[in-house]
Amino acid sequence: MDSHFLEVRNLKKYFKRTRGNVHAVDGVNFTIDKGKTLGVVGESGCGKSTLGRCVLRLIEPTDGEVLYEGRDICKLNKRELKDLRKEMQIIFQDPFSSLNPRKTVLDLIAEPIKFNKLIPNASKADIENRVLELMETVGIAERLINTYPHELDGGRRQRIGIARALSLNPKFIVCDEPVSALDVSIQAQILNLLKKLQKELGLTYIFITHDLSVVNYFSNDIMVMYLGHVVEMAPAAELFRNPMHPYTKALLSAILLPKVNGNPERIQLRGEVTSPIDPPDECRFAKRCNYLCKACSAGTPPLLEVEPNHLVACHCIKPGMNILQEQPHLISGR
Amino acid sequence: MSNESLTKSMTGGAAETGENVLEVKNLVVHYVLKKETVEAVNDVSFTLKSGRSLGLVGETGAGKTTTALAIMNLVPNPPGVIKSGTVNVCGHEMLKLKPIELAKIRGADISMIFQDPMTSLNPVMTVGNQIAESVKLHEDCSHSQAFDRAVEMLELVGIPGARASEYPHEFSGGMQQRVVIAIALACNPRVLIADEPTTALDVTIQAQVLGMMSELKTKMNTALLMITHDLGVVAKMCDEVAVMYAGRIVEKGTLEDVFNNTMHPYTEGLFNSLPKIDNRDTELKPIPGLMADPTKLPVGCSFAPRCSYATDACRARRPEDRYVSDTHMVVCTAYEDPAFHIEGWQ
Ligand SMILES: Nc1ncnc2c1ncn2[C@@H]1O[C@H](COP(=O)(O)OP(=O)(O)OP(=O)(O)O)[C@@H](O)[C@H]1O
Ligand SMILES: Nc1ncnc2c1ncn2[C@@H]1O[C@H](COP(=O)(O)OP(=O)(O)OP(=O)(O)O)[C@@H](O)[C@H]1O
Ligand SMILES: [Mg+2]
Ligand SMILES: [Mg+2]
């Protein structure tokens, strides 16, 4: 098998609670090729951020492998990890709380450069020049170099976050809801910037979001998560053209288009959300699924390649057989 | 429980369709701070009929929430000052009433779903009791009857009734928001103001909540003022749209007017900023520059510094309200030139 830029195998992260373990990420597999973007979507609490942090080993996975250019980062020692960290960065959702309010733009962007001793024997001027260069790359005006985060708007603060990530010349960036807190016009500026940087620097992204039109715009492949599991994964256009998993169908049908009469009746979900604490070994979506069949409680459905490059985890959908479409009488419906 | 039972469990009759239940005229609200004055709302006027819904859209700081607070007569003072204007809710002059009279109207005639759910929840009272309290405000019933209604309302917003005895902090942000919505709906108000009610919710739950609001509107003739910056929500929910920029309504009309015959350059900019779900390859066109600083608004059009069509006339004086049809209003000086048009968006 040819090697992928990133390959994640059977990744798990459980959090201990008094009542049991939260299965935040529960056996996730995927690959990303260099220069591509994997979009990760799913509802609040399904494990998107936990996945992103585990992949960078910002938190320790409970189990599984993360092969970054062929090396399992879960097996690296502290020093090896520190070296690799420079290549792997994260951009957070909240540009307000992720920046130290007492530091200026200069200090904030210089910090990772100094900490990682990126420029050997750097003078003050060397560092300032590098900061100015980064400010230009992300589009922050030079005159703002001595301002503090609270004096800037959300879009500029997010640009600082991006400049900090870029300061280490990364190859791989996890973008965790990078535009969710921003107004649409600033959101568009940041999305354009991230796309431009990807093109120019050949960056590889994991792009976490709950905004489906953003993820479609941004990703090559999309992975849909539900309570720690991947329920569907496909190239973006294919997923939007032919969503198969009942949860993906509901998710896509809930998108509201900014168009007059653009929003016909949607699939409504009912029922209770399964608790992520030691969930039973069955389909985690079953309680809310509009198509309930006997198989739903027969163990966790495996993620299968149902059509070329299109993976689905549903007991009713197998390669060459889609019970939801072909044998609706087997399904009780709700 | 289905949405059908929502309306069954409502008490009281539906309002008449088509009467004005909310009239805002020439509203001006400032926040007077030590060093500067924030001109948050600058001469806003609109009306809303029962059974209709108006979407109030615009970016952060445009003055949407302040407008809503002024309608409820809840602008925090200090620093907020309602400089001028009138607000009429179902025949009541909101800005002239005494606190005790206002308390009666809030909840019965008009209620508001706040942007931040925790501001309207009491942290030391169970969610069931909080909903029951609001039921008792306008209904003559025992506490246990009110509590039964509260459990019903919780289930309507997709929360198991058994959780009525829990406290707000035991709920996730999205669940807290649904409790706030349940409280607002339990009152069965004639005018409902919803300030970004679904921003914190997942799309599938958003669909559920919006469904409930539509139900209320069609069956109970509730008038809905929907504050949002999500143009998709507006397209789904609203009959009319008002676009706000720097405290002023810059374009207003029916949904068709504003979405299909967009006239204001700012509205055009909002649409151009959105990723198109059916076309992955178009580059996004953000509006250049920053939101106007409401402490230093320019003499002329507030949007002019960011507007690619702006002329000297735009910068020189304040644009006037211009009706281009019975329903469609645009506030843009460039239209003084009869040949002017925006490039249009796809
Ligand atoms: N440090 C932690 N300790 C305990 N539980 C945690 C921790 N971090 C996350 N969780 C739990 O793990 C699950 C997944 O959380 P995560 O933050 O990854 O979700 P998410 O998909 O990013 O959600 P959102 O869209 O709200 O950001 C949740 O049930 C959450 O409560
Ligand atoms: N209590 C306050 N004191 C001082 N300024 C305030 C106060 N509340 C709001 N403002 C200012 O008034 C202006 C309008 O704010 P408002 O909250 O009405 O905007 P909005 O359109 O609701 O924005 P958002 O989309 O962020 O909710 C902003 O510049 C804001 O900073
Ligand atoms: Mg997250
Ligand atoms: Mg607001």
Side-chain angles (χ1 to χ4, degrees), chain A residues 183, chain B residues 29-33 37-41 56-69 75-80 115 195-196 227-229 244 246-247 291-295:
Chain A
D183 271 337
Chain B
V29 187
H30 290 178
Y31 293 102
V32 181
L33 310 176
T37 296
V38 179
E39 299 181 22
V41 176
L56 191 58
V57 301
E59 292 179 274
T60 293
K64 306 180 296 293
T65 298
T66 305
T67 302
L69 291 175
V75 173
N77 175 315
Q115 197 165 1
D195 192 357
E196 308 271 7
I227 298 175
T228 178
H229 51 245
M244 245 180 131
M291 190 80 195
D293 178 350
T295 62

Side-chain angles (χ1 to χ4, degrees), chain A residues 43-44 153 156 183-189 191-192 195 210 212-220 236-237 240 247 250-251 254-260 263-266 268-270 272 288, chain B residues 1 59-60 160 199 202-208 210-211 229-233 235-236 255-256 259-260 270-271 273-280 282-290 306 345:
Chain A
E43 61 192 11
S44 180
D153 64 292
R156 288 209 179 100
D183 271 337
V184 286
S185 71
I186 297 171
Q187 171 177 319
Q189 292 170 15
L191 290 175
N192 282 345
K195 251 196 168 168
H210 57 251
L212 291 148
S213 40
V214 168
V215 82
N216 177 47
Y217 173 74
F218 216 81
S219 317
N220 301 96
F240 275 76
Y247 175 64
L251 203 60
I255 300 175
L256 294 176
L257 298 178
K259 277 190 186 147
V260 179
N263 301 293
E265 276 319 299
R266 291 163 307 206
Q268 291 236 354
L269 295 177
R270 308 223 171 283
E272 221 184 299
R288 293 174 78 196
Chain B
M1 202 200 284
E59 292 179 274
T60 293
T199 311
D202 289 313
V203 283
T204 57
I205 290 159
Q206 165 173 293
Q208 244 167 289
L210 294 180
H229 51 245
D230 187 332
L231 295 170
V233 170
K236 178 71 188 174
L255 185 68
E256 285 79 6
F259 278 50
N260 293 347
L270 283 181
F271 280 112
S273 299
L274 297 176
K276 315 288 175 290
I277 202 105
D278 37 11
N279 186 352
R280 290 162 38 88
T282 43
E283 201 198 336
L284 307 179
K285 289 198 221 88
I287 305 169
L290 298 177
R306 303 174 70 186
W345 54 278

